Amino acid sequence: RLAGAFGALDKAIVPEGEGAKLAHWRLTARRAALHERNNRIEQARAELASLPLELLDTLPPDGNNLRSEALSAHAAVAARLGDSASSAALSQRILDVASEADVRANAAFALASALDKQGRHTEAWRAATLAHETQLDIAREIVPDLLAPDSRPLVMTAQHIDHREHDAWSTLASPR
């Protein structure tokens, strides 16, 4: 599957002219993200070397989607390398420029994780709250009935299961 994903990126039709450069950079960001998600951190770093942060600062305002994608790849690699401060700063930069709800939710979750690793728990909680609120906005738009006042989408959450009950029906080991 990974080979297929990279093959699809390699076969992407890149526009000619001014848009070509931006399209190539977007493909680079996507290859870097694929490498990172598949534990190929060195390959991700190599891809991102051709897409430095300074370059992202020079993109025009209509390049925010590319900027967000590339910042996300940089943030994910920073997190994998244990640099939670850089990951948090990059995730915040995404929140500063992104307008798409899914991008904002993902950036807020990444920010929450990075802040938590730094022991900045109050800020992490705020970022996680933003992420969840954004996801609820997405759900409200896609499936309005899910969030209707009389809706009960997660009835199981109203029940309490103790460890004995859980052990009686679960075949998975508990992480106690």
Side-chain angles (χ1 to χ4, degrees):
R1 291 184 180 182
L2 183 59
F6 282 109
L9 289 177
D10 291 340
K11 292 177 185 174
I13 298 171
V14 176
E16 294 182 21
E18 188 62 32
K21 186 173 17 174
L22 295 177
H24 281 291
W25 289 339
R26 181 171 305 239
L27 291 170
T28 298
R30 289 182 180 176
R31 278 193 304 273
L34 273 173
H35 283 305
E36 183 276 326
R37 289 182 193 132
N38 286 278
N39 299 317
R40 299 166 69 179
I41 304 305
E42 288 309 312
Q43 291 94 327
R45 290 177 75 186
E47 292 284 354
L48 291 174
S50 66
L51 198 56
L53 295 172
E54 300 78 30
L55 174 71
L56 302 178
D57 293 333
T58 67
L59 293 175
D62 65 346
N64 279 344
N65 288 343
L66 167 58
R67 185 178 289 112
S68 294
E69 255 187 271
L71 287 170
S72 180
H74 276 284
V77 169
R80 292 292 213 96
L81 295 173
D83 187 355
S84 56
S86 291
S87 181
L90 292 165
S91 298
Q92 182 59 57
R93 284 180 63 183
I94 297 166
L95 287 171
D96 292 342
V97 299
S99 58
E100 299 82 12
D102 60 326
V103 174
R104 292 185 56 74
N106 289 336
F109 278 123
L111 177 60
S113 177
L115 292 170
D116 185 59
K117 287 184 173 120
Q118 295 176 66
R120 297 164 60 186
H121 304 296
T122 302
E123 294 168 88
W125 186 259
R126 278 196 296 267
T129 299
L130 173 62
H132 286 287
E133 287 172 351
T134 304
Q135 283 188 328
L136 279 175
D137 290 342
I138 293 168
R140 189 175 290 110
E141 192 173 307
I142 295 172
V143 188
D145 293 344
L146 183 68
L147 299 172
D150 60 343
S151 175
R152 294 191 44 165
L154 301 172
V155 293
M156 187 64 189
T157 61
Q159 299 179 13
H160 176 73
I161 306 284
D162 67 24
H163 287 292
R164 289 185 310 272
E165 291 170 312
H166 176 268
D167 292 343
W169 59 262
S170 177
T171 58
L172 299 175
S174 173
R176 284 184 244 154

